[in-house]
Amino acid sequence: MRIFHLSAECYPVAKVGGLADVVGALPKYQNQAGLNAAVVMPYYSRKFVHENTFDTVFQGTTLLGTRRLYFEILKEQTNKLGFELFLIRIPGLLDRENIYSYPDEREQFIAFQICFLDWINWSGQTPDLVHCHDHHSGLVPFMMYHSALYRRLANIPTVFTIHNGQYHGAFGWDNLEYLPEVDFYKTGLLEWNGGINPLASAVKCCWKFTTVSPSYLQELSISSNGLEYLFYVERFKGYGIVNGIDTEVWNTETDPMLPEKYTAATVTKGKLKNKELICQKFGLSVNRPLIAFIGRLVAEKGSDLLPEAIEKSLQEHGDKVNFLILGTGDTETEIALQQLKTLYPQNCNVFIGYDEALAHLIYAGADFLLMPSRVEPCGLNQLYAIRYGTIPVVRSTGGLKDTVIDFGDEGGYGIRFNNVTVEDISTSVTRAIVLYKDTKKMLQLRKCMMGLDFSWYRSAKEYIDLYESLIPKI
């Protein structure tokens, strides 16, 4: 079964968020299960590209409106990621360093999609299925089924995965000229709210769509930035599949970024050693519970409430708890957190930016991971924390609700709260402090978490089952 995954991101080639982690792992585990899965993404002038060797496997030209573009398809030589990796390079358009935020971003991703279809069409390839990820590849199903240029591809099934339904990639009808000649009578499949909406179009046109957790599938009908009715109407076409994590990368026994390796049997000793190193680095006491936050400092993650919630907890509990923040984003939040660090240097520290090795160390050394998200389609951070024996403290939404059971419930191992408020966050911090004192219970929960299976093996099989239901049996 030949599968192409189309994505704007793929770890470790280019990453902004969880989309990259999924696309960098799912195809690998699908290949291990017997599929022939490949990833196609834009070319970015980044470290991975410069440090690895690529062959040019196709060259051509295409039209973006009236603009003639030269493009080439580059293939990584060794399949070092566990799957074939193809990059689409367009000089002057898809050959830059950053992934997003260019003024011609719309043209970049439309051209990316057209070049992909031109390539497989002109090279005579007939994949069994095309799997598109987020709005950056959302126009592909429409063009495959409703453009005369790609008539040969019209019977190929498409699956569309929504990693974050808040972002649609919408633009005006004046840009319709960028698309290859399409069936005018089908252009309603592009439309939503008076414009062209790639995410909405993909949901309408794909054979099946998936979300990255079952709860998020339900939540899209309630909150999806204006597409609520569409998701309600198309709900029977959707499947919720919880993301997995790459257990070869996230492995406490082999993780090269951990100074102290450990297993479930040695979790107390191993986590303590890593915690000592973190506390030494950031001037915190190892004898207090360490509550960490790792992620983007944006409202979606609830990070705007962190400064007030942390200060409230420190005022209530004094020297009984430590906080460590790793992230970057909203400037006001960054400043407020830095001020907290100045006011409470013995109990709070902040690292503005992102450091992969430090993130691994924090997952291993922290006692709790705080995720007060307003929106969390799946979430991977809580899965990394669970894998590393760190108790997740999460708001009950999306994938957090699907993957974390409160320790007060049967079979539970985490802490959950219902509302994105300072009060709910600080109440959960209090629960964490009380739990931390019960060393026997802490050990029980850590061993329980480290024995759970959130690997891609399980999730990849669910995707394969979905594929097989769509591909005609010969």
Side-chain angles (χ1 to χ4, degrees):
M1 190 187 301
R2 178 60 162 170
I3 310 295
F4 280 118
H5 290 269
L6 271 67
S7 174
E9 302 178 33
C10 175
Y11 178 82
V13 187
K15 173 181 174 177
V16 170
L19 168 62
D21 291 314
V22 173
V23 178
L26 175 57
K28 177 172 72 173
Y29 285 87
Q30 289 179 332
N31 286 343
Q32 291 177 8
L35 269 63
N36 182 5
V39 169
V40 184
M41 65 183 298
Y43 178 104
Y44 303 108
S45 182
R46 298 171 80 94
K47 181 179 179 182
F48 181 92
V49 174
H50 298 317
E51 292 182 349
N52 291 277
T53 305
F54 291 79
D55 294 322
T56 300
V57 296
F58 188 86
Q59 295 172 300
T61 64
T62 194
L63 284 174
L64 185 68
T66 59
R67 181 180 173 188
R68 175 69 63 177
L69 299 176
Y70 164 82
F71 72 94
E72 57 187 14
I73 309 296
L74 307 178
K75 180 181 182 294
E76 193 270 316
Q77 281 188 350
T78 65
N79 292 355
K80 69 183 296 181
L81 301 181
F83 50 81
E84 290 180 307
L85 172 67
F86 297 94
L87 307 180
I88 296 180
R89 181 176 178 271
I90 304 173
L93 193 64
L94 292 181
D95 59 355
R96 304 165 185 170
E97 180 179 0
N98 294 327
I99 303 173
Y100 306 120
S101 300
Y102 290 103
D104 57 355
E105 180 179 303
R106 177 188 310 126
E107 289 83 355
Q108 287 182 298
F109 288 117
I110 293 176
F112 162 63
Q113 296 170 83
I114 292 172
C115 289
F116 165 73
L117 292 175
D118 283 351
W119 168 46
I120 62 171
N121 192 34
W122 294 343
S123 60
Q125 299 182 67
T126 307
D128 293 293
L129 185 141
V130 175
H131 190 152
C132 303
H133 296 264
D134 271 352
H135 71 82
H136 320 96
S137 56
L139 297 173
V140 165
F142 175 83
M143 290 191 287
M144 285 175 63
Y145 304 140
H146 304 296
S147 173
L149 186 62
Y150 307 122
R151 186 173 289 114
R152 190 181 70 82
L153 310 176
N155 293 321
I156 297 174
T158 52
V159 170
F160 180 65
T161 294
I162 301 161
H163 298 263
N164 193 327
Q166 297 296 310
Y167 303 101
H168 304 169
F171 50 88
W173 284 104
D174 55 323
N175 299 125
L176 180 62
E177 65 175 3
Y178 288 144
L179 302 187
E181 182 180 351
V182 298
D183 183 346
F184 180 78
Y185 293 101
K186 299 293 185 179
T187 53
L189 293 169
L190 293 169
E191 193 272 341
W192 196 263
N193 196 29
I196 296 175
N197 189 309
L199 190 140
S201 177
V203 171
K204 294 177 187 179
C205 296
C206 70
W207 288 26
K208 297 290 181 182
F209 73 89
T210 71
T211 61
V212 289
S213 70
S215 288
Y216 192 56
L217 177 63
Q218 305 302 318
E219 291 174 6
L220 284 172
S221 298
I222 302 169
S223 176
S224 51
N225 200 16
L227 296 184
E228 293 80 8
Y229 181 69
L230 174 65
F231 283 113
Y232 174 76
V233 171
E234 299 282 3
R235 64 193 183 281
F236 299 111
K237 193 176 175 181
Y239 290 80
I241 301 175
V242 173
N243 285 340
I245 60 173
D246 191 336
T247 52
E248 295 177 12
V249 173
W250 296 93
N251 187 336
T252 58
E253 297 182 60
T254 60
D255 189 339
M257 300 182 195
L258 298 188
E260 183 72 18
K261 314 293 192 291
Y262 59 96
T263 66
T266 60
V267 61
T268 300
K269 178 183 175 183
K271 285 189 70 67
L272 178 59
K273 183 63 177 178
N274 288 299
K275 182 179 179 180
E276 287 173 346
L277 292 169
I278 294 173
C279 290
Q280 181 180 9
K281 179 180 179 68
F282 290 99
L284 304 172
S285 170
V286 74
N287 297 316
R288 306 180 192 121
L290 177 58
I291 301 177
F293 173 94
I294 300 174
R296 292 178 294 130
L297 299 176
V298 293
E300 188 176 293
K301 301 294 183 182
S303 63
D304 53 309
L305 299 182
L306 285 177
E308 186 178 350
I310 290 173
E311 184 162 32
K312 178 177 171 62
S313 294
L314 291 175
Q315 289 175 348
E316 289 180 357
H317 301 290
D319 282 342
K320 295 180 180 178
V321 62
N322 288 340
F323 292 92
L324 178 60
I325 312 297
L326 168 61
T328 184
D330 178 71
T331 302
E332 289 186 10
T333 302
E334 290 180 1
I335 293 172
L337 289 170
Q338 293 280 25
Q339 290 173 341
L340 271 183
K341 173 183 173 180
T342 302
L343 290 172
Y344 303 94
Q346 305 299 317
N347 300 89
C348 181
N349 212 322
V350 181
F351 184 99
I352 299 299
Y354 188 74
D355 183 308
E356 187 75 18
L358 177 58
H360 281 242
L361 181 59
I362 293 174
Y363 284 119
D367 299 298
F368 302 91
L369 182 77
L370 178 59
M371 297 181 69
S373 303
R374 288 186 173 87
V375 179
E376 198 65 70
C378 176
L380 293 174
N381 289 11
Q382 83 278 14
L383 302 183
Y384 300 147
I386 288 169
R387 176 77 168 160
Y388 279 49
T390 297
I391 295 171
V393 182
V394 305
R395 189 227 165 182
S396 296
T397 186
L400 300 179
K401 183 164 60 175
D402 290 333
T403 56
V404 177
I405 304 172
D406 192 273
F407 78 92
D409 298 328
E410 183 177 355
Y413 44 83
I415 295 175
R416 279 179 30 181
F417 56 95
N418 292 324
N419 303 303
V420 188
T421 63
V422 169
E423 290 71 23
D424 272 27
I425 295 171
S426 60
T427 297
S428 296
V429 168
T430 299
R431 292 186 68 199
I433 294 171
V434 173
L435 174 60
Y436 179 79
K437 297 175 182 177
D438 188 342
T439 55
K440 184 177 179 180
K441 184 67 173 179
M442 285 287 290
L443 178 59
Q444 175 193 338
L445 296 181
R446 284 170 170 169
K447 288 186 174 182
C448 169
M449 288 188 294
M450 294 183 72
L452 297 174
D453 180 14
F454 284 108
S455 72
W456 268 115
Y457 292 109
R458 171 187 50 78
S459 301
K461 185 179 186 308
E462 293 189 56
Y463 278 107
I464 293 171
D465 290 343
L466 176 60
Y467 296 168
E468 290 178 341
S469 73
L470 301 177
I471 296 173
K473 300 295 190 296
I474 299 176

